[in-house]
Each structure stands twice: as structure tokens, then as C-alpha cells.
């Protein structure tokens, strides 16, 4: 144990604020010493400049400078004291021994009875003395007083499940007497089991989020590739348009120039003939003028008869002219030809669009649990046709009972998806998507408000939708493609063979899973007995590129 003189000597080197040996000591004007960090923090917190010891106030905050001489003395004291100490000091974040004076060593155990933490040396009595050996020792912790009951000053060693709080033994004999209490160790064991389960759940969520991040990055990369492909396709189309326009322009200019040259040649011929006639007429005019001035009467009469009955050889120019509008028809024909080229090139755009959306193709299989009793599905779930006799199948909440409808097995709750259906040989059919909660019983109106986005063929080359829209197609579709963009709120229908767009529902709001929807309609005494056939999508993109989330 240190002597009183050594303690007094040590106290001279302790900062009165942090109660530890000075670090970068400064001396303020009243003569007292403090750590520079301690006095600065003290003044900042108090917002008042005064000495913590003598309370002397300063009108202005003193400028602090480290007392280098005193710092050297402090460092010398630290070095001398450290040599006299046993064992290393505790590392930052470790619990210090409450018994050690001066430089405190790391605590090895904390006693819940003594409410004291002990280093290896000062713990020895608890390991030797029989009364102390009965004390409860735990791994070193700070704030041991928080482990004592504030009311009874007893160790908190029980847990009240009723009030969800820690209590002492005396508490269970008072206000917690009828409550469900267990030892803290038992409750901690159960809580650790719960924490383990929660930690596993958190890990699962983390894995899901990581998968989502990975999927999002893949989607971004995929979107970049598709954007490049779409740009390339559009550049190809518009480059062809530009080339067609340039070619038509060059041909038109060439034709106009040739027409102009022909006009010039024609005009030159006309001008040459006219100039010859003018020359002859001038000569005849000279002869007439000379004859009119002659004094020889006989010659005048003889020459007059010759000039009168032999007029100069001239043409009738009244119907002859140089046409300045010779190029108008050419321009019109060129523009008309260019319009045809543009129309053909523009017709390629739906084809490009169809190729782009075909990359989102998914594998659709029909769900027999939803099929109406008048429908028969193929074994592979890819075909459905209507029969005249009902099938003996169990009824369930998923099955359509009022209409010849059936859904696909898998629903989609995000992204985009696309599928194609062969409708060849059918006079009537319905295709589209339906939300999961769509009513399956009784009469159903095929409208978005009831969760159905569909198109229906009811007459030759006529497609109907709801809200009522009647579409007249140029020819009967043989294969129909259905495309859905969940986030965009878009449902589109395409004639795959013609590579043309049929109809789109836009601005839709989807909040549930969407299922592929099929309606082969009535059999019509065999007139509409052909099946609807889910067809593999024939395109150059991988089916694995589909973005839809299948549930």
C-alpha cells in the first residue's frame, strides 16, 4: 500500500476535473493547473470562464498554452510511478480494478455482493477466505450499482415476466408476490434462444435483400443491353428511312435535271426555227419596203403579184409553247413513291417492338383447379378446349363455374412477362390477364374494375374489349401475344404472325398477382371446337431474360 507521502505526492499531479494524472497541463492566471482538454471542455459546457477550484471568473477566456516545464515534471512522475506498479494498465474499453490506487490494473472479476471489481491481485481474498468465496463473481462490468435494487438495496437476481423487469428477492415478497418471476439466468437462456431465432431471421432477410440487390443489378445490366439493342434497331430503321429519302431525293433531282435539259433542248429548237422565220420575214419586209419606194411602175406590178401569191413559209406557233411545269408530275410521283417506302419502313417498327417484348417470354401452364367444368386440359397443361358435357371434377373456390374460363398456374407480382397463344381455327376466344381476387363464380363482366384485362374475338376479324372498343383487323389472327408491364400498368396484345399491335390497356394499377387468362368460348356444335394452344415463343432472346416475379 502506498504511504501518505506518496499519495500526497501523487495528488499533486492529478487534474481536479478528470481526477487523473495531467495530460498536456496548462496553468491559468489564478495559478491552478488542468489538462488543456479538461478545462476547455469545462468552459464550453458551463459557457462561463472561471476556475473550477477557486471559482475566480475571467472577463475573457484566457489563451491556453501548455506548461512545458510542468509537463516534463508530470512525465517524470508517470515514468517513476509506472516502474513501481505491477502488471500492465487496463486497455481502453476494459473495466479497471476499483481497489488499485493510481494506475489501475485491469479487473479480472466483479463481485455482485461487494459491488466491486477486482484485479488478479485484489481478487485473491475472494478465492481464499471462506465467507468471500460464497460471493457471486461475474466477468468484470461497469456500473455495478445498476445491478442493485434501488428500493431494497439487494442484488437483482430475478426477472418478473408480468412486469418485464428485474427484481430482487425482497420484491417477490411484496408488490411482485403474485407475479410470474424466474431467475435471471433462466430468462436470459430463453431470451438467447429468441435472439438466436431473430438473428437467423435477420440473416434470412439479409440474404433476401442481397438477392434483391443482385437481381436489381442484373436488371439494370439487362436494361442497358436492351436499351443498346433497341437503339441499334431504331438506328437501323431510321437509317433505312434516311437512305430511302436520300435516294429518292437524288433520283428526283436527276429526273428534274433531265426534264430541264429536255425543256432547254426543246426551247433551243423552237428558238432556232423562230429565228430563221424572223430572218426570212425581215428579208421579205426589206423587199416590200424597197418595192414600195420604186418609181418603176411595171416592175412594182410584176413583183407585187409574186409577193402577194407567195407568202413567206411560216409555222403556226399559237399551239406551241415551252412547258415550265414538266417536273410537277415527277415530284408528285417521287413523293408518292417515298410515302410507300416510309410506310413499309414504319410497318417494321411494330415488328421491332414485338421482338423486344418477346425477350420477356415465360413458360405458362394451365391450372386445372381453375378450369370450368366444360373445359378439358391437355396432360401437359398447354391446351384447353370446350366440350358439350360437363366434367366430374371437385368444386372449389378457385374454379370458374359460370363461364368457360381457366387461368395459368403461376401468378406474377412484378416486372414484365409475355406469352403467346395459337388461336387458329377458332371462331371465338378470349385472352388476357386476371388478378388473383377476381370473382370465379356466376356471371362475370370482363372489365378492369373487376380485375380482368382481356380482348375477345366474336366476329370475323373483329376484336372487342371492355370498356367497349371494337377493332377491325385486316386479317384474322392465327397467334396472339400477350405482354404485361406490371410497374408501368400496361397490358398489350399483338398479332404475332402479322407482327402488328392489336390493342393496349394503359395506365392500369396493379396491386395483386396477375394470372394469364384463357377463354376458349362455347363449342358451338363443333364449329368452335379447336383448342387454345400455349405456344413456345420463337425469338432470338433467352427465355431466362424474363423479368416477371413468379409466385
Amino acid at each position: 500500500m502506498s504511504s501518505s507521502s506518496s499519495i500526497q505526492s501523487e495528488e499533486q499531479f492529478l487534474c481536479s476535473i478528470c481526477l487523473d494524472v495531467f495530460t498536456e497541463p496548462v496553468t491559468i492566471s489564478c495559478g491552478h493547473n488542468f489538462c488543456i482538454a479538461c478545462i476547455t471542455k469545462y468552459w464550453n459546457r458551463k459557457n462561463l470562464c472561471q476556475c473550477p477550484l477557486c471559482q475566480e471568473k475571467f472577463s475573457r477566456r484566457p489563451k491556453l498554452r501548455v506548461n512545458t516545464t510542468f509537463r516534463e515534471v508530470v512525465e517524470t512522475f508517470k515514468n517513476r510511478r509506472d516502474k513501481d506498479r505491477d502488471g500492465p494498465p487496463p486497455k481502453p474499453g476494459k473495466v479497471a480494478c476499483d481497489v488499485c490506487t493510481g494506475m489501475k490494473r485491469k479487473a479480472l472479476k466483479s463481485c455482485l455482493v461487494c459491488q466491486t471489481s477486482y484485479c488478479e491481485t485484489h481478487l485473491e481474498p475472494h478465492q481464499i477466505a471462506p465467507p468471500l468465496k460464497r460471493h457471486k463473481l461475474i466477468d468484470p462490468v461497469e456500473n455495478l450499482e445498476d445491478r442493485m435494487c434501488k428500493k431494497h438495496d439487494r442484488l437483482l437476481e430475478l426477472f418478473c415476466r408480468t412486469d418485464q423487469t428485474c427484481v430482487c428477492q425482497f420484491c417477490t415478497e411484496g408488490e411482485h408476490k403474485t407475479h410470474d418471476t424466474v431467475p435471471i439466468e433462466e430468462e436470459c437462456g430463453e431470451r438467447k434462444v429468441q435472439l438466436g431465432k431473430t438473428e437467423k431471421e435477420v440473416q434470412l432477410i439479409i440474404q433476401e435483400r442481397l438477392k434483391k440487390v443482385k437481381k436489381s443489378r442484373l436488371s439494370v445490366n439487362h436494361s442497358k443491353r436492351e436499351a443498346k439493342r433497341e437503339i441499334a434497331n431504331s438506328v437501323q430503321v431510321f437509317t433505312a428511312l434516311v437512305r430511302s429519302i436520300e435516294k429518292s431525293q437524288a433520283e428526283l433531282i436527276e429526273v428534274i435535271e433531265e426534264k430541264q435539259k429536255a425543256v432547254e433542248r426543246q426551247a433551243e429548237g423552237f428558238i432556232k426555227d423562230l429565228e430563221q422565220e424572223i430572218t426570212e420575214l425581215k428579208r421579205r419586209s426589206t423587199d416590200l419596203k424597197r418595192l414600195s419606194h420604186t418609181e418603176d411602175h411595171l416592175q412594182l406590178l410584176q413583183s407585187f403579184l409574186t409577193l402577194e401569191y407567195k407568202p413567206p413559209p411560216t409555222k403556226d406557233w399559237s399551239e406551241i409553247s415551252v412547258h415550265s411545269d414538266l417536273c410537277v408530275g415527277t415530284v408528285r410521283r417521287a413523293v408518292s413513291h417515298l410515302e410507300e417506302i416510309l410506310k413499309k419502313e414504319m410497318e417494321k417498327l411494330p415488328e421491332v417492338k414485338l421482338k423486344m417484348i418477346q425477350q420477356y417470354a415465360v413458360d405458362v401452364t394451365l391450372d386445372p383447379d381453375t378450369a370450368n367444368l366444360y373445359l378439358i386440359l391437355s396432360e401437359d397443361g398447354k391446351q384447353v378446349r370446350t366440350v358439350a358435357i360437363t366434367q366430374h371434377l371437385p368444386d372449389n373456390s378457385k374454379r370458374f363455374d359460370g363461364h368457360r374460363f381457366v387461368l395459368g398456374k403461376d401468378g406474377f407480382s412484378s416486372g414484365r412477362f409475355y406469352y403467346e397463344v395459337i388461336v387458329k381455327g377458332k371462331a371465338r376466344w378470349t385472352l388476357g390477364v386476371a388478378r388473383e381476387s377476381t370473382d370465379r363464380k356466376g356471371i362475370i363482366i370482363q372489365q378492369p374494375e373487376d380485375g380482368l384485362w382481356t380482348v375477345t374475338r366474336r366476329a370475323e376479324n373483329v376484336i372487342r374489349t371492355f370498356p367497349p372498343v371494337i377493332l377491325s383487323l385486316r386479317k384474322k389472327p392465327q397467334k396472339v401475344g400477350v405482354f404485361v408491364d406490371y410497374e408501368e400498368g400496361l397490358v398489350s396484345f399483338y398479332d404475332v404472325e402479322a407482327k402488328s399491335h392489336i390493342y393496349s390497356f394503359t395506365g392500369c394499377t396493379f396491386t395483386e398477382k396477375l394470372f394469364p387468362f384463357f377463354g376458349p368460348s362455347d363449342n358451338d356444335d363443333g364449329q368452335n371446337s379447336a383448342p387454345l394452344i400455349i405456344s413456345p415463343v420463337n425469338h432470338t432472346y433467352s427465355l431466362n431474360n424474363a423479368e416477371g416475379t413468379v409466385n
Side-chain angles (χ1 to χ4, degrees):
M1 185 177 290
S2 301
S3 63
S4 60
S5 61
S6 64
I7 294 175
Q8 180 65 27
S9 175
E10 183 174 335
E11 290 178 351
Q12 294 176 358
F13 298 99
L14 298 180
C15 173
S16 60
I17 298 177
C18 65
L19 302 179
D20 202 352
V21 179
F22 289 109
T23 301
E24 297 296 317
V26 294
T27 304
I28 60 178
S29 55
C30 63
H32 293 114
N33 299 313
F34 304 94
C35 300
I36 188 171
C38 293
I39 189 63
T40 301
K41 185 176 180 181
Y42 177 83
W43 284 345
N44 290 340
R45 186 173 65 251
K46 294 291 186 180
N47 198 22
L48 179 66
C49 293
Q50 68 176 20
C51 176
L53 291 176
C54 66
Q55 304 300 313
E56 180 179 344
K57 296 182 181 180
F58 311 109
S59 58
R60 297 180 59 186
R61 177 177 288 198
K63 188 174 183 180
L64 302 177
R65 288 189 177 88
V66 176
N67 189 331
T68 56
T69 302
F70 186 45
R71 180 177 61 184
E72 292 175 359
V73 174
V74 172
E75 292 298 328
T76 301
F77 166 76
K78 284 183 179 180
N79 294 334
R80 178 169 53 82
R81 184 194 61 180
D82 291 344
K83 290 180 181 179
D84 297 336
R85 297 288 183 189
D86 294 330
K91 296 181 180 179
K94 300 294 183 179
V95 178
C97 176
D98 292 329
V99 181
C100 289
T101 59
M103 179 62 72
K104 296 182 178 295
R105 288 178 290 177
K106 180 178 69 173
L108 187 63
K109 292 289 183 180
S110 294
C111 178
L112 294 178
V113 179
C114 302
Q115 297 189 50
T116 305
S117 298
Y118 299 101
C119 64
E120 184 177 5
T121 301
H122 294 110
L123 183 64
E124 187 174 354
H126 279 73
Q127 298 171 334
I128 299 175
L132 296 179
K133 290 175 69 175
R134 291 193 292 269
H135 290 187
K136 187 171 183 178
L137 299 177
I138 62 173
D139 290 335
V141 294
E142 296 179 343
N143 303 324
L144 283 168
E145 62 275 6
D146 293 340
R147 296 174 177 267
M148 303 300 292
C149 177
K150 299 295 189 294
K151 184 176 182 180
H152 302 108
D153 197 25
R154 300 282 293 186
L155 180 65
L156 297 172
E157 52 187 353
L158 299 171
F159 182 78
C160 177
R161 290 177 172 173
T162 305
D163 293 338
Q164 293 292 299
T165 184
C166 295
V167 297
C168 69
Q169 186 64 42
F170 285 179
C171 292
T172 61
E173 299 173 0
E175 57 182 314
H176 296 272
K177 185 175 182 179
T178 60
H179 292 180
D180 181 15
T181 57
V182 295
I184 284 181
E185 293 82 357
E186 180 180 339
E187 184 67 20
C188 285
E190 295 185 7
R191 293 295 175 93
K192 285 182 178 179
V193 172
Q194 295 177 2
L195 289 175
K197 293 180 180 179
T198 303
E199 196 273 336
K200 289 181 180 179
E201 293 175 357
V202 171
Q203 288 298 324
L204 289 176
I205 294 174
I206 291 174
Q207 294 302 318
E208 291 177 357
R209 297 299 184 269
L210 290 174
K211 289 180 181 179
K212 192 68 175 179
V213 169
K214 183 179 179 180
K215 183 178 179 181
S216 297
R217 288 174 176 168
L218 290 175
S219 296
V220 170
N221 293 333
H222 177 68
S223 178
K224 288 181 179 178
R225 292 194 300 270
E226 294 312 315
K228 290 181 180 179
R229 185 180 288 115
E230 190 163 356
I231 290 173
N233 289 333
S234 62
V235 168
Q236 181 180 359
V237 172
F238 284 100
T239 299
L241 290 175
V242 172
R243 288 175 179 172
S244 298
I245 293 172
E246 291 176 346
K247 181 180 179 181
S248 298
Q249 182 187 31
E251 292 175 352
L252 177 60
I253 292 174
E254 183 178 357
V255 171
I256 292 174
E257 289 177 346
E258 288 297 327
K259 292 288 185 180
Q260 177 63 25
K261 290 178 181 178
V263 169
E264 291 177 358
R265 289 193 297 269
Q266 182 187 33
E268 288 175 357
F270 291 162
I271 292 172
K272 184 177 180 180
D273 292 344
L274 287 170
E275 287 178 344
Q276 288 178 353
E277 287 192 4
I278 291 171
T279 301
E280 181 63 25
L281 289 172
K282 285 183 177 180
R283 186 183 63 79
R284 184 63 58 90
S285 175
T286 301
D287 291 343
L288 292 173
K289 187 181 294 185
R290 183 180 64 253
L291 185 60
S292 64
H293 291 88
T294 183
E295 298 295 334
D296 188 343
H297 301 290
L298 180 61
Q299 182 182 3
L300 185 149
L301 292 175
Q302 291 176 344
S303 298
F304 180 81
L305 292 174
T306 302
L307 292 175
E308 181 181 6
Y309 293 104
K310 293 183 178 180
T314 59
K315 295 180 180 180
D316 181 7
W317 294 93
S318 61
E319 301 296 331
I320 299 178
S321 64
V322 178
H323 296 286
S324 60
D325 59 344
L326 291 177
C327 299
V328 174
T330 303
V331 174
R332 289 177 178 173
R333 286 192 297 272
V335 171
S336 177
H337 178 62
L338 181 58
E339 287 178 350
E340 293 179 3
I341 294 175
L342 289 175
K343 184 177 180 180
K344 291 180 180 179
E345 293 297 332
M346 294 302 291
E347 287 177 350
K348 294 180 181 179
L349 291 178
E351 179 179 352
V352 173
K353 180 65 175 178
L354 183 59
K355 287 183 179 179
M356 294 300 296
I357 66 175
Q358 282 178 331
Q359 66 182 297
Y360 301 107
V362 294
D363 186 15
V364 176
T365 303
L366 299 172
D367 184 1
D369 291 338
T370 65
N372 180 268
L373 296 180
Y374 284 93
L375 300 181
I376 291 182
L377 277 56
S378 62
E379 292 184 1
D380 61 359
K382 298 297 183 181
Q383 300 185 27
V384 56
R385 62 187 178 90
T386 304
V387 293
I389 302 175
T390 60
Q391 309 300 302
H392 297 289
L393 299 172
D395 191 16
N396 59 67
S397 60
K398 296 171 60 178
R399 191 178 304 282
F400 290 96
D401 64 2
H403 298 271
R404 276 69 165 169
F405 295 154
V406 62
L407 300 180
K409 278 187 177 181
D410 297 322
F412 300 83
S413 58
S414 66
R416 303 166 181 170
F417 64 93
Y418 172 82
Y419 63 94
E420 293 178 353
V421 183
I422 296 175
V423 297
K424 184 178 180 180
K426 292 195 67 61
R428 296 190 295 173
W429 48 261
T430 300
L431 292 173
V433 291
R435 68 186 180 203
E436 187 173 22
S437 64
T438 297
D439 188 13
R440 317 288 175 88
K441 308 302 179 183
I443 303 300
I444 299 173
I445 299 177
Q446 298 176 47
Q447 59 182 352
E449 288 77 7
D450 292 330
L452 288 167
W453 293 264
T454 62
V455 296
T456 301
R457 183 177 185 269
R458 285 289 180 267
E460 188 69 21
N461 298 345
V462 174
I463 300 292
R464 296 176 181 269
T465 70
F466 197 99
V469 176
I470 299 177
L471 306 169
S472 297
L473 306 181
R474 287 186 295 178
K475 63 179 182 178
K476 176 181 177 182
Q478 304 297 308
K479 184 188 292 186
V480 176
V482 182
F483 172 68
V484 176
D485 188 328
Y486 196 97
E487 283 73 23
E488 188 70 21
L490 173 69
V491 181
S492 295
F493 300 85
Y494 292 86
D495 183 337
V496 179
E497 299 286 334
K499 298 181 176 58
S500 61
H501 174 255
I502 296 176
Y503 184 75
S504 288
F505 292 94
T506 59
C508 309
T509 300
F510 303 132
T511 58
E512 304 177 23
K513 294 180 188 176
L514 297 179
F515 291 81
F517 180 89
F518 305 85
S521 193
D522 298 336
N523 182 274
D524 289 343
D525 296 327
Q527 299 299 314
N528 191 40
S529 61
L532 291 176
I533 304 173
I534 300 172
S535 172
V537 178
N538 182 21
H539 57 74
T540 58
Y541 301 103
S542 171
L543 294 180
N544 294 328
N545 289 335
E547 285 186 353
T549 300
V550 183
N551 295 282

